[in-house]
Amino acid sequence: MRKSGLIILSLMLVTGLMLTACGGNKTNSNTGAAATNNGTNKETAAPTTDEPVTITLAGWGASPEEQDLLNQTLKEFETKYPNVKVNYEVIADQYMDVIKTRLIGGEGPDVFYLDAFEAPGLIEANVLEPLDSYVTPEFDVADFEQPMVDAFKKDNVSYGFPKDFSTLAMFYNKKDFSEAGITTPPTTWDELKADAIKLTKKEGDKVTRYGFGVAPELARQMFMIQAFGGKVSDEEGKATFASAEALPGLQLVVDMHNVDKSSGEPKEVGAGWGGEMFGQGKASIVFEGNWAIPFLESNYKELDYATAELPTVNGTKGTMAFTVAYVMNKQSKKKEAAWQLISFLTGKDGMKTWTSKGFALPTRKSVAQELGYDKDELRGAIVAGASYATPWQAASTLPTITNNFNNQFVDTFMGNSKLEDAMKKAEDVANKEIEAAK
Amino acid sequence: MTQVSTFKKKLRNNVTAYLFLLPTILVLGTFLFLPVFYSLYLSGHKVNLLGDVSYKWVGFNNFTRMAGDERAWIALKNTASFALFVVPLQTAFAILLAVILNAKLRFKNFFRIVFFMPTVTSSAVLSLIFMWIYNSNGLLNRVLEFVGLHGFNWLGDPAVALKAIMLMNIWSTAPFFMVVFLAALQDIPDALYESAMLDGAGGFRRFISITLPMIKPATFFTVVMGIIGTFQLFDQSYIFSAGSGGPNNSTLTVALLIYQYAFKNLDFGYASALAVMLAAVIMIVTLIQRKLFSEEKLN
């Protein structure tokens, strides 16, 4: 007892010491940042601080090759700004939950990744630093693809700048296509439907290869809701995905699975996601983004595939766009250095290094042009989608809406309930939860 | 004079004792009592902790809100059916394993190690292994197909998703309770069995009339701990459903719902109210069990 008491006591002492040490550190750098943070001449003031600062940057994990590229970009930054050290941390799982909890605890990173999907919620909570006062003319905001910047704006104030993006494109297996006698990729949903039936392979009752591999979740189906004029949510943040305009698009997705039996989700064939399903040859067509290209290159080298823009639905072009920004923690004590990092990473030089190998696509038009991705054989279709894509974002209530949508949509997709009933139920529950949380 | 000195001595003793207790009191206070009271406090408030911190007293609103929260009822129902199914089975399974190990087997120690293995493995790792087994093209479906049955989409089908977690849970927790029963079994005096044998009792009769009554305290412990454990089920359904509790809320448990409200929706007030409700339910169930088991005096 006595021994363990002593151990605990000494542990507490050590923790106490460490805490005070941290605190001291923070106040120091605080004054440092405050000194440089006054008024107009930030650009010139920043490099004169010779006191070295360390800022933390948090993001989620990526493939080793992508991680190397980020490290290289960060190294370039540190060479350019020798007094700023970047401490990069990877949050491996449940990224947003961890970030939110750390922000509440006052231990948030100075700069972190933010998915457009979660941006409205965090902006509303007032935890992000508005960036407009930091922006200089050289940063050239107009160079960004407009929808990607808008995803991180509220009331015309920018809270983040997009580091990269991807839209969904149609990946199709060339070998499967020629075996089935299909010469060109489908350009309308009707063609996709017909082709998927031809491409589906069965052994007895068991499907060994689906014509179309689909992800039955809101993040991938939002543009289908919009194809007939439907909307995911209204101005007040209420769910509206069960409206008469929203259902026809979703019905197309469900029918391919339950009527034609020509589409399947990755889980049904034991794959983790669409790219894996496609790589394993268990789906001839999938809708995936840029991230699938390096994955297929490193895991399924011999796969013979091509990409095309998504087929039109109801005569209109549509796809989803996913984008991620660098944002600054409002509580950061090193805002000047944090801005230096953000402006470098989303600036022309940093973005060029970061997107140079095609793991991610540049959100700056000048960089995209320089790297020539719009003419790239595989990435061209993904870039082309940017002009008409639906960004994966809605009201700040989107997390609640998504949770309820996914929960019920899978059930319909599996053929356990009628689409209309399931969506009505999901919409009601979501709106009840939104109302109750007010 | 002597009175003062004994008082002094007592005081000094007390002070020394509390000094030694201090670290534990501090640690327990910080990490156990404080959170409990804070949670009680939160359950009566509407709380915003992210960004502009605000607490608003709402009385019992968070509790009345539960009545209209469909998912709270589903979670409670799932959790209750989970406990009803898992606790009896895991107890029976644990007794069975303990009886097997208590018999005079060859390689007894080897089997003890093998049986105990699942308890030592972390439940996160077990969940991942079982996800692989339950996968549509996984081990379990292959085995089922081999013997001519048809497989399930164990993780994607609402009808079987929770059962898949139940099976795994029984398999992984029974060995821990097996150890408890093993200890209880070895406490039973051989003389009881011998005299019963002389009276002509068969093996089954001896099990019913001697073994089961003698291990009743262990059974009580197992059932109580089992209920508490199953009511707090979180990690397995979290990993199986990637945090969503789907498909169609079939793997949603109360603990998972609390997590979703607290960390996904950042509605800490309501999440705390749910936690208080869960604690109350567990307490009531435990009290009922105590009543049931205490017919014959324990201890």
Side-chain angles (χ1 to χ4, degrees), chain A residues 406-422:
Chain A
N406 289 351
N407 219 320
Q408 290 300 328
F409 191 62
V410 174
D411 206 42
T412 314
F413 186 78
M414 288 293 169
N416 299 326
S417 51
K418 255 185 75 189
L419 177 73
E420 204 185 328
D421 303 340

Side-chain angles (χ1 to χ4, degrees), chain A residues 312-364:
Chain A
T312 56
V313 184
N314 192 24
T316 49
K317 281 183 165 191
T319 181
M320 297 299 297
F322 303 92
T323 184
V324 173
Y326 287 110
V327 295
M328 195 195 298
N329 180 359
K330 197 168 198 173
Q331 290 182 315
S332 168
K333 307 278 191 251
K334 302 151 196 170
K335 288 185 177 153
E336 202 55 37
W339 168 249
Q340 283 168 357
L341 179 64
I342 293 177
S343 68
F344 179 80
L345 290 172
T346 60
K348 287 169 189 167
D349 295 341
M351 190 175 285
K352 207 171 113 191
T353 313
W354 166 236
T355 56
S356 60
K357 292 202 180 142
F359 297 128
L361 293 175
T363 43
R364 279 182 178 277

Side-chain angles (χ1 to χ4, degrees), chain A residues 1-2 4-6 8-9 12 93-94 96-97 99-101 103-104 118 121-122 124-127 206 265 267-271 282 399-400 403-404 406-408 410-411 414 416 425 429 432-433 436-438, chain B residues 20-24 26-27 46 48-52 65 68-71 74 135-137 142 145 153 155-158 238 240-250 259-261 263-268:
Chain A
M1 180 62 225
R2 196 177 146 177
S4 62
L6 274 178
I8 291 172
L9 198 67
M12 278 174 19
D93 200 16
Q94 298 301 323
M96 271 326 285
D97 297 354
I99 284 285
K100 283 180 194 164
T101 322
L103 286 172
I104 288 170
E118 295 271 6
L122 282 198
E124 211 166 88
N126 201 18
V127 290
K206 213 171 171 244
E265 68 162 327
K267 259 188 199 164
E268 287 177 278
V269 293
K282 287 176 179 156
T400 307
N403 202 3
N404 284 294
N406 289 351
N407 219 320
Q408 290 300 328
V410 174
D411 206 42
M414 288 293 169
N416 299 326
K425 191 172 154 201
V429 177
K432 245 191 236 166
E433 282 180 21
K438 265 185 187 161
Chain B
F20 277 119
L21 281 174
L22 189 68
T24 316
L26 277 178
V27 169
K46 169 142 187 57
N48 183 24
L49 294 177
L50 184 65
D52 307 320
R65 179 177 160 191
D69 187 348
E70 207 176 314
R71 296 180 76 227
I74 294 173
N135 161 339
S136 309
N137 287 342
R142 290 277 160 91
E145 271 158 34
N153 182 1
L155 305 172
D157 186 346
Y238 175 84
F240 271 58
S241 69
S244 77
N248 192 15
N249 292 323
S250 59
Y259 170 85
Q260 285 185 353
Y261 273 115
F263 298 105
K264 292 250 186 276
N265 301 3
L266 295 178
D267 197 346
F268 287 95

Side-chain angles (χ1 to χ4, degrees), chain A residues 364-411:
Chain A
R364 279 182 178 277
K365 290 171 211 150
S366 64
V367 179
Q369 242 163 33
E370 205 180 330
L371 297 172
Y373 287 131
D374 51 336
K375 289 167 199 80
D376 187 285
E377 200 187 324
L378 288 174
R379 295 181 175 90
I382 297 171
V383 175
S387 58
Y388 55 83
T390 306
W392 170 226
Q393 191 184 47
S396 58
T397 48
L398 191 53
T400 307
I401 293 175
T402 309
N403 202 3
N404 284 294
F405 178 92
N406 289 351
N407 219 320
Q408 290 300 328
F409 191 62
V410 174
D411 206 42

Side-chain angles (χ1 to χ4, degrees), chain A residues 46-266:
Chain A
T48 57
T49 357
D50 9 68
E51 197 189 332
V53 274
T54 305
I55 54 175
T56 45
L57 165 67
W60 47 77
S63 65
E65 298 93 339
E66 205 173 335
Q67 214 68 60
D68 285 347
L69 204 54
L70 181 64
N71 288 335
Q72 190 191 325
T73 319
L74 290 177
K75 210 165 276 162
E76 280 173 23
F77 169 75
E78 286 178 339
T79 336
K80 199 173 167 196
Y81 298 92
N83 61 322
V84 185
K85 285 265 163 299
V86 181
N87 178 13
Y88 177 64
E89 20 177 23
V90 176
I91 295 171
D93 200 16
Q94 298 301 323
Y95 177 81
M96 271 326 285
D97 297 354
V98 176
I99 284 285
K100 283 180 194 164
T101 322
R102 283 182 55 184
L103 286 172
I104 288 170
E107 293 293 324
D110 298 296
V111 179
F112 55 95
Y113 291 14
L114 180 64
D115 198 307
F117 160 69
E118 295 271 6
L122 282 198
I123 291 172
E124 211 166 88
N126 201 18
V127 290
L128 301 182
E129 175 79 2
L131 297 178
D132 295 306
S133 63
Y134 297 88
V135 174
T136 57
E138 300 92 79
F139 185 64
D140 194 4
V141 178
D143 188 28
F144 283 103
E145 296 277 2
Q146 203 53 41
M148 310 298 167
V149 185
D150 289 346
F152 302 94
K153 264 187 182 172
K154 196 196 176 192
D155 301 332
N156 230 12
V157 178
S158 286
Y159 291 89
F161 289 104
K163 72 185 185 80
D164 51 37
F165 82 102
S166 178
T167 64
L168 294 180
M170 178 165 58
F171 286 62
Y172 61 95
N173 189 316
K174 284 194 200 160
K175 205 172 119 249
D176 294 354
F177 267 54
S178 64
E179 271 175 16
I182 304 165
T183 46
T184 51
T187 54
T188 65
W189 193 271
D190 288 334
E191 286 176 35
L192 173 77
K193 206 169 128 82
D195 288 351
I197 294 171
K198 280 187 223 162
L199 290 162
T200 303
K201 254 190 175 170
K202 280 184 189 170
E203 253 171 46
D205 266 353
K206 213 171 171 244
V207 177
T208 51
R209 187 183 78 200
Y210 285 104
F212 178 43
V214 62
E217 56 190 40
L218 188 57
R220 300 296 182 90
Q221 303 303 338
M222 200 158 145
F223 76 101
M224 292 300 288
I225 291 177
Q226 295 177 341
F228 292 86
K231 274 168 101 183
V232 169
S233 59
D234 61 15
E235 289 79 24
E236 289 167 38
K238 290 270 178 69
T240 56
F241 53 71
S243 69
E245 296 81 35
L247 293 175
L250 295 173
Q251 193 71 54
L252 294 176
V253 179
V254 175
D255 284 351
M256 269 183 88
H257 184 261
N258 293 333
V259 180
D260 300 353
K261 308 215 182 290
S262 61
S263 79
E265 68 162 327

Side-chain angles (χ1 to χ4, degrees), chain B residues 148-206:
Chain B
L149 295 166
H150 79 104
F152 282 104
N153 182 1
W154 288 97
L155 305 172
D157 186 346
V160 290
L162 191 65
K163 301 205 172 58
I165 300 179
M166 286 176 180
L167 283 180
M168 171 191 160
N169 199 280
I170 292 170
W171 181 81
S172 65
T173 48
F176 172 71
F177 295 120
M178 167 196 85
V179 178
V180 178
F181 283 119
L182 200 55
L185 284 177
Q186 287 174 349
D187 259 2
I188 304 174
D190 281 342
L192 280 179
Y193 288 111
E194 278 166 26
S195 58
M197 263 201 302
L198 288 176
D199 287 343
F204 183 68
R205 186 63 207 249
R206 270 176 277 150

